[in-house]
Amino acid sequence: MKSEQESQFTSAFQPSFDEISPSLYETTFVVVDLETTGGSHNSAAITEIGAVKVRAGEIVGEFQTLVNPESPIPPFITVLTGITDAMVIAAPKLGEAIFSFLEFVGSSKDSVLVAHNAPFDIGFLKAACAKLEISWPSYQVLDTAKIARYVVTRDEAPNCKLSTLSTFFGATTNPDHRALSDARATVDVFHGILDRLGSYGVKTLEELKSFSTRITSAQRSKKYLAEGLPNTPGVYIFRDEAGIPLYIGTTRNLRNRVRSYFTAAETRKRIHDMISLAHSLDVIQTATIIEAEVRELRLIGEKQPRFNRRSKFQAKSLWIKLTKEAFPRLVAIRGAKGLDDESGWAGPFNGRDESARAIEALYEVTQIRQCKPRITLSSMKSASPCALFDMKRCGAPCIGQESIDSYSSHVTAIHQSLHIDSRPILNSLNERMKELANQERFEEAAEVRNRLGALIRGSARAQSIRSLTRVKELIAAIATSIDTWEFVVIRHGKLAASATAKSDNYKEVVESLKLTAEVVIDNGEILPASHHEEVEVLLRYLNQEGIRIVEIDGIWALPTFGSAAARSEIEKVRAQVGANSYKEDFANSVDRFAQRSTN
């Protein structure tokens, strides 16, 4: 039994104020939103700061300021936010704006920062403080996007974007990509989230902070699924009670990766939902990590697991091609079936918008027809030309104004650009972009730039993919340690076999691989034996530093003046742009503004 003195001491003990987590009702939150010139705080700058201070469910203050980024605002950012160079020329510079903002927020003991997709906004604010050589106050930070994933189901809202959640929670302010408006909308979303968290028993700041990093009961109860796994490369498959795959993944170390799903480090709500349904786990050990990656792609495409997001619709990727008819036209299609080397094609593209931009890029500098009907001798008698004929952007083959031989020059130019020499069309697009920029039609110039980029990316991917699928057999190796090598056999763009071997017996391993590797037949299609994602995984593997070509049956090469070369040149130019080049650009933009004001 405790002595009387001990009992008195115990009953008299009280925790300090620092040890008591404040209730949410007592906590002051500052909801912040930024507008910037780009997506990375390493290369972009802040253009606007908006913040709303709330306490006990009431707004107690607001803060808003434009910020002079000391660099031109890209046209697409101006279109998105409405913030122009003219608006920020007289605005406070970064130092003044940051000091005013920090003064509004107060100390880290007074306020808690809240943001939607907090790593973005807080990342820019921390980078700004580092640039100004001031210490960042150790604010506690809450991310409404992260917490919302735990309290809003996919049936209620398809995603956790601010616009989606604002509509769902009935926000009084619509987010419009202006800092203060978005901060006000985030306040309403935050209050909606707090209302829901009440049913989870979340009443204090500490409980709210730990809510999105907690280990669920399903994670605790199903931790046994990670027991006894090997620490080798491979594929893991979570299955439900009926044995249907829920999620398929790949890793270099099966034991460590699968264990991570049952720790607090796994915060994705989608994965938590998957684990709650998981009943069993299968693993497939592989000789190499590249084999594991390829097996994962194939299994996802075949099994269509509900909790995987990428690679489920490899056969439905978007491509563009020239149709086979007397007067071909450009079309976007789903799937690579029907593509061949005789007609022009490019892809795959990341979405319908990207493929449409690539087609529009070719429309911009060629007179390929844009109408859809098939042109025949009988159709020419009743057809009438469209406005493009009057604009001299089409030769009107629909009414017989352009012969098949004459029209074929446009087709040949596109085919050459997509497969052999991209310079004529890319140079024409560059000239068009410069012409628009010189006329200060910056939004149109930016659109041409986007079209040019889409065309380069799509045709470069096509040329890279076809360069590998033409090769009958390629054996490559890479060192994994001082005396161990990894070997792969690739046939027509498909991984046929892989293995590891010691330096002293690699010849025997290579011969064995050649004999036991999967037989792959070239069926004449651009993807004879696999989907494009597998080919691109293999291309990344083959292009890594240290790879060695052991044997090759065929020619693996890209067009000297193809789009792949153009993409490489663009990347080099971007890498060479100096950190201070923005000063000259900004000075030029100020001069242009002054000239417009004078005129």
Side-chain angles (χ1 to χ4, degrees), residues 319-322 339-341 343-347 418-419 462 466 526:
W319 309 72
I320 66 171
K321 72 167 189 174
L322 283 162
L339 301 179
D340 60 71
D341 293 325
S343 58
W345 61 273
L418 296 179
H419 295 296
R466 196 65 182 109
I526 66 164

Side-chain angles (χ1 to χ4, degrees), residues 3-63:
S3 66
E4 183 178 350
Q5 184 177 5
E6 288 174 325
S7 299
Q8 289 175 349
F9 176 81
T10 303
S11 61
F13 172 78
Q14 288 185 338
S16 68
F17 285 110
D18 290 338
E19 293 174 302
I20 301 175
S21 178
S23 71
L24 297 176
Y25 188 81
E26 299 169 329
T27 303
T28 299
F29 298 100
V30 176
V31 182
V32 61
D33 185 85
L34 306 181
E35 300 303 329
T36 65
T37 60
S40 171
H41 58 73
N42 294 320
S43 57
I46 298 171
T47 57
E48 187 178 30
I49 305 174
V52 180
K53 185 177 288 187
V54 294
R55 183 182 175 89
E58 299 292 334
I59 295 176
V60 296
E62 291 187 338
F63 174 89

Side-chain angles (χ1 to χ4, degrees), residues 442-488:
F442 298 116
E443 291 181 15
E444 294 175 65
E447 185 54 41
V448 173
R449 178 201 61 200
N450 294 340
R451 293 171 182 171
L452 173 62
L455 178 62
I456 289 175
R457 286 188 293 272
S459 52
R461 288 179 76 180
Q463 291 165 12
S464 297
I465 288 170
R466 196 65 182 109
S467 71
L468 187 59
T469 60
R470 284 194 183 102
V471 178
K472 185 176 181 180
E473 181 177 89
L474 185 152
I475 302 175
I478 190 169
T480 56
S481 65
I482 295 176
D483 63 342
T484 305
W485 288 77
E486 182 177 287
F487 294 88
V488 297

Side-chain angles (χ1 to χ4, degrees), residues 261-321:
Y261 284 94
F262 303 96
T263 67
E266 181 52 75
T267 60
R268 293 171 292 177
K269 183 178 183 297
R270 172 173 58 96
I271 299 301
H272 286 180
D273 293 342
M274 182 274 293
I275 291 172
S276 68
L277 297 174
H279 185 74
S280 62
L281 177 80
D282 292 337
V283 297
I284 303 171
Q285 296 184 64
T286 59
T288 60
I289 182 60
I290 185 64
E291 182 181 341
E293 291 177 8
V294 169
R295 280 179 176 265
E296 178 200 30
L297 283 174
R298 294 175 184 174
L299 285 168
I300 290 174
E302 176 189 351
K303 304 297 184 182
Q304 298 285 298
R306 60 182 288 195
F307 288 97
N308 282 91
R309 288 181 175 172
R310 64 172 180 83
S311 306
K312 291 173 69 173
F313 306 106
Q314 301 171 53
K316 295 183 179 180
S317 53
L318 278 161
W319 309 72
I320 66 171
K321 72 167 189 174

Side-chain angles (χ1 to χ4, degrees), residues 34 36 42 80 106 154 161 187 197 236 259 349 384 428 450 492 498 516 530 583 598:
L34 306 181
T36 65
N42 294 320
L80 180 69
R154 188 173 293 276
K161 294 179 180 178
V187 168
L197 286 173
Y236 52 91
R259 280 181 176 177
F349 292 89
S384 57
S428 296
N450 294 340
H492 294 297
S498 75
T516 58
S530 59
K583 294 181 179 178
T598 303

Side-chain angles (χ1 to χ4, degrees), residues 333-401:
I333 62 170
R334 287 203 174 272
K337 295 289 184 182
L339 301 179
D340 60 71
D341 293 325
E342 292 183 6
S343 58
W345 61 273
F349 292 89
N350 295 327
R352 189 172 295 278
D353 289 344
E354 187 87 345
S355 63
R357 287 193 185 100
I359 290 176
E360 288 164 1
L362 294 169
Y363 286 158
E364 189 81 32
V365 292
T366 68
Q367 291 195 14
I368 198 80
R369 71 185 182 99
Q370 300 182 30
C371 54
K372 294 181 180 180
R374 181 176 290 272
I375 299 175
T376 63
L377 289 174
S378 59
S379 70
M380 291 180 186
K381 297 176 182 178
S382 58
S384 57
C386 63
L388 293 174
F389 176 63
D390 296 328
M391 297 166 64
K392 297 183 179 180
R393 294 185 60 184
C394 179
C398 57
I399 59 171
Q401 287 290 316

